[in-house]
Amino acid sequence: MRLLRLIVMVAFMVSIEQVSPEAFPPQDNLFQTAFWGTFKKFTGQEARFFSATFTDDAFSSAYTFPFMVLFRPRHDGSSYAYAPKAPSLALPAEQRGTLLEELALALRPHVPENCICLRCDLAWRSQYGGKEIVKPETAQLALNWGTKTHKLRKAPGNHLAPDTVIINLSLTPERILSRMRGTTRNCIRRSYRSGIDFAVGGIDMLHDWYALYEETAKRKGFYYEGEDYFNTLFSHKRIQENTFHEPPPRKKIESIKKEIIPLAAPAPLPQFHIMTASKGGKLLSGIVIALSGRNAYYMYAGSGTELRELMPNYGLQWEAIRFARSKGCTRYDLMGIPPNGDASNPMAGLYLFKTGFGGEKVRFAGAWDYPYDEDRYAYFRLEEQMH
């Protein structure tokens, strides 16, 4: 067993090369696109883009994948590196910890001296399934197996909700409807029978939608972004469409070990759309959805209290499904639900709403840290746990 573990420790290596945003390949994963990284610059974060190569010496194979990191400043002048929905490389569970460790070590020369840690909000599904929440200590033991330093830590919280619902848009509309909860289908039908007008647009609809979004957030006590954030988001989209060109050809990926599958794939620049539901000229609800290659994302939402009995939110989601499907998307990520249907959870209504659309309930592995400075990292964790 000791010999086997030694082989695992020396078989893998990661090397990285910093690249420009223009050379960063488009992909389906919105949160690992040059678009998302350069947009986040406007929120005070610095993005750096890398081409990472994972080498498996034991099987004479190498896999190249894009890796985008955001540097998030802190109040004391330090920062931490945050990689949302990364790395974009599918691996067997027993090799994930080694990849994360090697990736963090390869990144170290490219981060500021005061960088506390690398935090990856993993794109991997939890190896434990979605029925039970595994204790962090248990997950840490498993992920650190076979690593050299055993320093991987489960982050105190997650930036992106690890639990979500993903709808398979490659099915026929009839099949998608058949998978929904009966009450959800009835609510969709009612919204159409009520004569609600559905529309899709962009920055031209932003001001009216934002007023509804802000009202909703204040009513429910949620954090919400300022209107400038969305103005920048939609303006940035137009800037990038005129700036970014086709990336250079990607390195050829040799593959021997078939269960290791690169996830990155060529994709168009991400698109953002505002979709609204109105009645008699009155805006009842609106959402912002993102399309990135084959993936669609339900990003932001606002809804009023008037005419809620007409079920505009249900019809609006069906319109979003149909729209994303018409644009070639095969997955629609509803972006976050509570971990289960506990009725006492303050977000229980959101769980019922999103799961009613019949998608697959998915649990991702969440955010994981690799500390660069153990002392600062201990204080950093303590601060996060107190908030």
Side-chain angles (χ1 to χ4, degrees):
M1 183 65 70
R2 177 174 291 182
L3 177 61
L4 175 62
R5 181 170 174 174
L6 182 61
I7 292 173
V8 171
M9 289 173 63
V10 301
F12 310 129
M13 182 181 72
V14 173
S15 60
I16 64 173
E17 175 187 0
Q18 189 165 352
V19 299
S20 67
E22 293 80 7
F24 201 65
Q27 55 179 320
D28 294 335
N29 181 354
L30 170 67
F31 303 101
Q32 279 291 303
T33 58
F35 176 95
W36 193 253
T38 54
F39 164 65
K40 283 297 180 179
K41 172 184 176 182
F42 294 95
T43 66
Q45 302 175 53
E46 178 192 355
R48 295 186 189 176
F49 306 90
F50 301 92
S51 174
T53 300
F54 172 75
T55 303
D56 184 347
D57 292 334
F59 293 89
S60 302
S61 56
Y63 307 90
T64 300
F65 59 95
F67 185 63
M68 187 272 290
V69 176
L70 300 168
F71 292 94
R72 293 190 161 196
R74 301 183 67 249
H75 61 87
D76 61 358
S78 65
S79 65
Y80 68 98
Y82 173 59
K85 287 297 178 185
S88 296
L89 183 73
L91 286 177
E94 64 271 15
Q95 296 179 3
R96 293 176 177 178
T98 303
L99 173 63
L100 289 178
E101 178 184 62
E102 292 290 335
L103 191 57
L105 293 172
L107 185 68
R108 186 66 182 99
H110 299 271
V111 305
E113 185 64 31
N114 65 357
C115 184
I116 295 173
C117 66
L118 169 64
R119 172 168 293 175
C120 290
D121 224 327
L122 298 179
W124 299 320
R125 295 190 182 200
S126 171
Q127 67 187 84
Y128 306 103
K131 294 184 179 179
E132 296 182 8
I133 299 177
V134 177
K135 292 182 179 180
E137 296 80 7
T138 302
Q140 281 179 188
L141 284 172
L143 194 62
N144 278 290
W145 189 91
T147 62
K148 300 172 185 176
T149 61
H150 309 290
K151 289 174 63 174
L152 293 167
R153 302 286 182 269
K154 180 68 186 73
N158 300 293
H159 294 281
L160 297 171
D163 294 277
T164 189
V165 173
I166 297 177
I167 299 173
N168 182 359
L169 301 183
S170 64
L171 301 174
T172 65
E174 293 77 15
R175 183 63 175 149
I176 295 173
L177 280 166
S178 72
R179 290 188 166 194
M180 295 182 187
R181 197 177 293 135
T183 52
T184 299
R185 287 196 301 272
N186 290 337
C187 288
I188 292 173
R189 294 188 186 104
R190 181 167 188 178
S191 70
Y192 282 91
R193 288 197 302 265
S194 300
I196 289 176
D197 297 316
F198 298 104
V200 57
I203 197 168
D204 55 311
M205 302 168 67
L206 180 57
H207 184 71
D208 291 340
W209 171 82
Y210 182 81
L212 192 61
Y213 163 75
E214 182 181 31
E215 173 198 322
T216 304
K218 289 179 177 179
R219 185 176 72 245
K220 296 187 176 181
F222 296 158
Y223 170 81
Y224 62 97
E225 303 285 357
E227 189 168 359
D228 285 347
Y229 175 92
F230 294 99
N231 273 311
T232 301
L233 178 66
F234 281 88
S235 300
H236 186 63
K237 170 182 176 291
R238 291 186 296 180
I239 292 170
Q240 281 214 328
E241 285 175 344
N242 295 326
T243 302
F244 279 13
H245 307 287
E246 286 296 318
R250 299 181 61 200
K251 297 178 182 179
K252 184 178 179 181
I253 298 175
E254 302 293 338
S255 177
I256 293 178
K257 201 170 184 182
K258 298 302 182 183
E259 65 267 28
I260 301 178
I261 306 170
L263 293 181
L269 287 175
Q271 303 172 25
F272 287 79
H273 302 275
I274 296 175
M275 304 191 71
T276 60
S278 305
K279 174 74 173 178
K282 172 70 176 178
L283 183 60
L284 304 180
S285 63
I287 61 176
V288 173
I289 67 169
L291 310 181
S292 185
R294 293 185 294 264
N295 290 339
Y297 302 86
Y298 172 29
M299 301 289 288
Y300 309 98
S303 59
T305 56
E306 292 184 53
L307 302 179
R308 294 174 64 181
E309 69 277 6
L310 304 184
M311 305 299 169
N313 295 333
Y314 288 88
L316 192 55
Q317 284 299 330
W318 178 241
E319 286 291 312
I321 288 170
R322 294 176 63 239
F323 179 74
R325 193 173 178 276
S326 74
K327 295 296 184 179
C329 294
T330 58
R331 290 162 32 109
Y332 182 33
D333 189 340
L334 298 186
M335 292 296 291
I337 57 171
N340 53 52
D342 182 0
S344 65
N345 190 304
M347 304 291 283
L350 185 68
Y351 180 92
L352 287 173
F353 176 71
K354 291 187 177 182
T355 58
F357 288 94
E360 179 188 8
K361 286 181 283 186
V362 174
R363 175 167 296 156
F364 289 98
W368 286 79
D369 296 337
Y370 186 93
Y372 292 131
D373 184 322
E374 289 284 6
D375 292 336
R376 280 187 170 183
Y377 179 70
Y379 185 71
F380 174 51
R381 283 185 67 93
L382 182 62
E383 276 191 326
E384 288 197 316
Q385 288 166 347
M386 291 175 63
H387 282 82

